[in-house]
Amino acid sequence: MSRTGAHPGLITPRYVRPTLRQVIDEAADALHEVALQKIVLGLVAALAATLVLDWKTTAAWFAGLVAIETWGWFATRPSAPRDRRRRNYPNVAAAYLAQIACWLVLATFLWSTGAPLVQAAGAAVFMVIAAVTILLFYNTPMVFLASGAAPALGALAVLAGVEARSPAEALLLSVTLLLCGAFCVGRALDTPSTQEQQRRLNESLDAYETLAANVTDVIARTNLTGEFVYVSPSVKAILGYEPEELVGTSRWDITHPDADVAEMVEAYHRMVAEPGRAEAMTVQVRHKDGRWLWLQSSARLIFEDGAPVATIDVSRDVTAQVAAEAALKEAKAEAEAATRAKAEFLANVSHEIRTPLNGVLGALQLLQDEPVSAEGRSLMRRANDCGRMLAELLNDVLDFSKIEAGQLDLSPEPLDAREALDVVVGLLEGQARAKGVDLRSAVDGEGFWIEADAVRLRQVMFNLVGNAVKFTSAGHVEARLSVQPMGDDRRRVRFEVEDTGIGMAPEVQARLFERFQQAESDTARRFGGAGLGLSISRALVRMMGGDIGFTSVAGEGSTFWLEFEAPAATPAAPATADEAVLAGVRILLVEDNATNRLVAQTLLQRLGAQVTEAEDGLAGVRAAATGRFDLILMDIQMPHMDGIEAAQSIRGLAGAAGQVPILALTANAMTHQRAEYLAAGMNGIVSKPISVAALLGEVGRMLEADPEIETVAV
């Protein structure tokens, strides 16, 4: 049937010709459902026919009718309950044709009498059979009207042929015809076709049954007590039950006892308060074989006269999805545990490497002021360069760990970009000269003072220039800096490094900025390095709001560039320092490593400080309790009492002794560790290996915060 209009449920009044199968189904329904009524009608017709026919003839006809109707009743019965699609259609058609033939025999008997009135009755019977057959195929209002009038018209046609018609007979015939026409017109106006509506209803039922039989989700209707009223056939594939096994049972019989009943009750109340609302939930349901499955259901309430009477829900098996989510959570937990383990490992590695490295570099730095032979100084420089390279590698690993964990923050401050470049070039000049490489720099623009993280900018510059020097065996390396005003007190900074080194082939350029990657597989063996510098540099430049890139030709060299924007800054006054910068400052040095104590004490004493040593945290707390110090340098990992406990104990001292600035002097300098130190009451951190500039900067900051300490400005 055809459905049109804005709403899919509206049925158009347009007639659509039924299919042959539909015709046979409707005829079969008529044969099966009204067989007894037709036998009674046949008995009445046979009794009436005995008035004009021999009783033996009518009795034989009626017996044949009963046999045909009985055959038809059995032939039209579906082979499965409510399943018309499984009928024996040839048997149905034969039974229907036999019934038509039986009534046509009666009409023939009546016609053969020759009496006009009896012939009229026979014509009426014939027209009725013809009309019923036509209506099976063309059940429209006009055909319905014509079919309804046809029996009367047939009878009148016979009677109209009889001569000597009286006025009374003519009037009777006219009134009869008028009444038949009025009945047919009224019937046609009342409804186009009851059969047409039934046909549409049957099609809707067939479509619903087809949908319910083929949908993969389980459709279920339950009353308000949870008893199944209907379950779709798909339950067999999902839960293993036949629908008939569940109908009449409670859904709670197959629901896991640990189900959140309170949540279900709340969902029910929400649906009552808001009719039409759908509620989704995931519960465990028992399969017929005993295992538990996860079903995700979307439920709605069915209302009648404004009151809820039932629940209808659609459920699907999400067991695999729930298992995958559980596995994902477990994997996430394992990954987080692995991350914590990695952080702890890096912290331990950092401490174990930085502690001896601090002693090595500190001793080498102090030896520079001692009388040593030229060959000895050369060896010292080589040892110092190796130590700095090791420190740089360690810093790269730690920096990358911080970036990966999102724990690295920038600290913008006024800086001279041109001076930053000069410092980087100055640090690498000796290495370039030793290789015979011409290292030069060039600057362009104006307003070189900008707001940026000085340490990180120099780190990126150092990485790019250092790589260029490392991978260039002959020729030159040129570092070019350009700072251009952009308006609104902002500057565009572009830094380029051009070299005549080994260059890179196109196939290896794509992965250059990946961590632990270098251009060639043997690059690390030939030139050293962990392959982290460029990855860290890109991350730092992007944190500055810029980008980094390069061009390269294998065997001819490369040009790396970075570009970012920064606010303009006011030039800072130059700092002054001398060897007595810490003159008169009383410092308590708490350090368990004898070498590091010696290096730190020597360095601080050369700067004019008065240094008192403590071998562990307990000794440090006892010394701090005397109140004789302006500053405390505190190591973290120590026996008996670590630096955090010692700092907390010192902060618990009464009077000025508990307010002395504490500076963490430690190899454990990762971001989360710094936060822990500050939370323990420390005022700052200097990481090992100790940098004189970093140490003086932090000491100066501590002393500037305490105006009672008199010292030279740092």
Short mmCIF file of all heavy atoms in Angstrom, two decimals, residues 38 65 70 109 173 225 236 243 358 362 398 451 457 491 510 581 583 606 612 638 647 714:
data_model
loop_
_atom_site.label_atom_id
_atom_site.label_comp_id
_atom_site.label_asym_id
_atom_site.label_seq_id
_atom_site.Cartn_x
_atom_site.Cartn_y
_atom_site.Cartn_z
N LYS A 38 -21.68 -19.19 6.21
CA LYS A 38 -22.04 -19.49 4.83
C LYS A 38 -22.82 -20.79 4.71
O LYS A 38 -23.68 -20.94 3.84
CB LYS A 38 -20.76 -19.54 3.98
CG LYS A 38 -20.13 -18.17 3.75
CD LYS A 38 -19.01 -18.22 2.75
CE LYS A 38 -17.82 -18.97 3.31
NZ LYS A 38 -16.71 -19.03 2.34
N LEU A 65 -22.48 -28.23 -0.95
CA LEU A 65 -22.00 -26.98 -0.36
C LEU A 65 -21.32 -27.23 0.98
O LEU A 65 -20.26 -26.67 1.27
CB LEU A 65 -23.18 -26.01 -0.18
CG LEU A 65 -22.83 -24.68 0.51
CD1 LEU A 65 -21.89 -23.87 -0.38
CD2 LEU A 65 -24.09 -23.88 0.82
N THR A 70 -16.46 -27.28 4.18
CA THR A 70 -15.58 -27.98 5.13
C THR A 70 -14.17 -28.10 4.56
O THR A 70 -13.17 -27.87 5.26
CB THR A 70 -16.15 -29.37 5.42
OG1 THR A 70 -17.48 -29.25 5.93
CG2 THR A 70 -15.27 -30.10 6.44
N PHE A 109 -29.72 -23.74 -11.72
CA PHE A 109 -30.95 -24.47 -11.45
C PHE A 109 -32.14 -23.53 -11.44
O PHE A 109 -33.21 -23.84 -12.00
CB PHE A 109 -30.84 -25.19 -10.10
CG PHE A 109 -29.96 -26.41 -10.11
CD1 PHE A 109 -29.43 -26.92 -8.93
CD2 PHE A 109 -29.66 -27.07 -11.32
CE1 PHE A 109 -28.62 -28.04 -8.95
CE2 PHE A 109 -28.85 -28.19 -11.32
CZ PHE A 109 -28.32 -28.68 -10.14
N LEU A 173 -40.54 -1.98 -8.76
CA LEU A 173 -39.19 -2.16 -9.29
C LEU A 173 -38.36 -0.88 -9.14
O LEU A 173 -37.17 -0.91 -8.80
CB LEU A 173 -39.24 -2.58 -10.75
CG LEU A 173 -39.82 -3.98 -11.02
CD1 LEU A 173 -39.96 -4.20 -12.52
CD2 LEU A 173 -38.93 -5.05 -10.41
N THR A 225 5.63 -4.24 36.95
CA THR A 225 6.27 -5.13 37.93
C THR A 225 7.51 -5.81 37.36
O THR A 225 8.17 -6.57 38.06
CB THR A 225 5.28 -6.20 38.41
OG1 THR A 225 4.89 -7.02 37.31
CG2 THR A 225 4.05 -5.56 39.04
N LYS A 236 16.83 -14.67 21.05
CA LYS A 236 17.43 -16.00 20.90
C LYS A 236 18.92 -15.88 20.56
O LYS A 236 19.76 -16.60 21.13
CB LYS A 236 16.69 -16.76 19.79
CG LYS A 236 17.32 -18.10 19.41
CD LYS A 236 17.20 -19.13 20.50
CE LYS A 236 17.69 -20.49 20.04
NZ LYS A 236 17.65 -21.51 21.09
N PRO A 243 11.58 -16.43 22.71
CA PRO A 243 10.71 -15.38 23.28
C PRO A 243 9.65 -15.95 24.22
O PRO A 243 9.36 -15.35 25.26
CB PRO A 243 10.08 -14.75 22.04
CG PRO A 243 11.06 -14.99 20.95
CD PRO A 243 11.67 -16.32 21.24
N ASN A 358 78.85 16.83 39.96
CA ASN A 358 79.04 18.11 40.62
C ASN A 358 80.45 18.20 41.20
O ASN A 358 81.12 19.23 41.09
CB ASN A 358 78.00 18.27 41.72
CG ASN A 358 78.20 19.55 42.51
OD1 ASN A 358 78.00 20.64 41.99
ND2 ASN A 358 78.61 19.43 43.77
N GLY A 362 83.02 20.83 39.68
CA GLY A 362 83.42 21.83 40.67
C GLY A 362 84.92 21.82 40.90
O GLY A 362 85.57 22.87 40.98
N LEU A 398 66.14 15.22 31.14
CA LEU A 398 65.23 15.74 32.15
C LEU A 398 64.27 16.76 31.56
O LEU A 398 63.08 16.78 31.89
CB LEU A 398 66.02 16.35 33.30
CG LEU A 398 66.88 15.37 34.10
CD1 LEU A 398 67.67 16.10 35.17
CD2 LEU A 398 66.01 14.29 34.73
N GLU A 451 61.06 40.42 26.04
CA GLU A 451 60.63 39.63 27.18
C GLU A 451 60.59 38.16 26.75
O GLU A 451 59.75 37.75 25.95
CB GLU A 451 59.22 40.06 27.64
CG GLU A 451 59.19 41.36 28.39
CD GLU A 451 59.54 41.20 29.86
OE1 GLU A 451 59.57 40.04 30.32
OE2 GLU A 451 59.78 42.20 30.54
N LEU A 457 65.83 30.35 25.69
CA LEU A 457 66.23 30.89 24.40
C LEU A 457 67.69 30.56 24.11
O LEU A 457 68.04 30.14 23.00
CB LEU A 457 66.01 32.41 24.36
CG LEU A 457 66.41 33.10 23.05
CD1 LEU A 457 65.66 32.51 21.87
CD2 LEU A 457 66.19 34.60 23.14
N ARG A 491 58.00 42.49 19.10
CA ARG A 491 59.12 42.25 18.20
C ARG A 491 58.96 40.87 17.55
O ARG A 491 58.49 39.92 18.18
CB ARG A 491 60.46 42.27 18.97
CG ARG A 491 60.73 43.57 19.72
CD ARG A 491 61.13 44.68 18.75
NE ARG A 491 61.55 45.87 19.46
CZ ARG A 491 60.74 46.88 19.77
NH1 ARG A 491 59.46 46.81 19.44
NH2 ARG A 491 61.20 47.94 20.41
N ALA A 510 62.02 13.95 7.40
CA ALA A 510 60.69 13.95 7.99
C ALA A 510 60.71 13.57 9.47
O ALA A 510 59.88 14.02 10.25
CB ALA A 510 59.78 13.00 7.22
N VAL A 581 81.85 39.04 46.62
CA VAL A 581 80.43 39.33 46.52
C VAL A 581 79.66 38.81 47.72
O VAL A 581 78.62 39.35 48.07
CB VAL A 581 79.86 38.72 45.20
CG1 VAL A 581 79.88 37.20 45.25
CG2 VAL A 581 78.47 39.23 44.93
N ALA A 583 81.00 38.57 50.81
CA ALA A 583 81.79 38.91 52.00
C ALA A 583 80.87 39.12 53.20
O ALA A 583 79.89 39.86 53.12
CB ALA A 583 82.62 40.16 51.73
N ARG A 606 85.91 31.43 48.40
CA ARG A 606 86.57 32.32 47.44
C ARG A 606 85.69 33.53 47.12
O ARG A 606 86.19 34.58 46.71
CB ARG A 606 86.87 31.57 46.15
CG ARG A 606 88.03 30.59 46.29
CD ARG A 606 88.37 29.97 44.95
NE ARG A 606 89.51 29.05 45.08
CZ ARG A 606 90.05 28.39 44.06
NH1 ARG A 606 89.53 28.53 42.84
NH2 ARG A 606 91.08 27.58 44.26
N THR A 612 80.08 27.10 57.32
CA THR A 612 80.08 26.07 58.36
C THR A 612 79.48 24.81 57.76
O THR A 612 78.43 24.86 57.10
CB THR A 612 79.26 26.51 59.58
OG1 THR A 612 79.82 27.72 60.12
CG2 THR A 612 79.26 25.42 60.65
N MET A 638 70.14 12.56 52.20
CA MET A 638 71.19 12.42 53.21
C MET A 638 70.76 11.34 54.19
O MET A 638 69.57 11.09 54.38
CB MET A 638 71.41 13.74 53.95
CG MET A 638 71.94 14.87 53.07
SD MET A 638 72.20 16.40 54.02
CE MET A 638 70.50 16.83 54.43
N ALA A 647 64.55 20.73 56.71
CA ALA A 647 63.97 22.06 56.47
C ALA A 647 62.72 22.25 57.31
O ALA A 647 62.50 23.33 57.90
CB ALA A 647 63.66 22.22 54.98
N VAL A 714 74.63 41.76 43.91
CA VAL A 714 74.95 40.68 42.99
C VAL A 714 74.30 40.97 41.66
O VAL A 714 73.12 41.27 41.61
CB VAL A 714 74.43 39.34 43.55
CG1 VAL A 714 74.74 38.22 42.57
CG2 VAL A 714 75.09 39.04 44.87
#
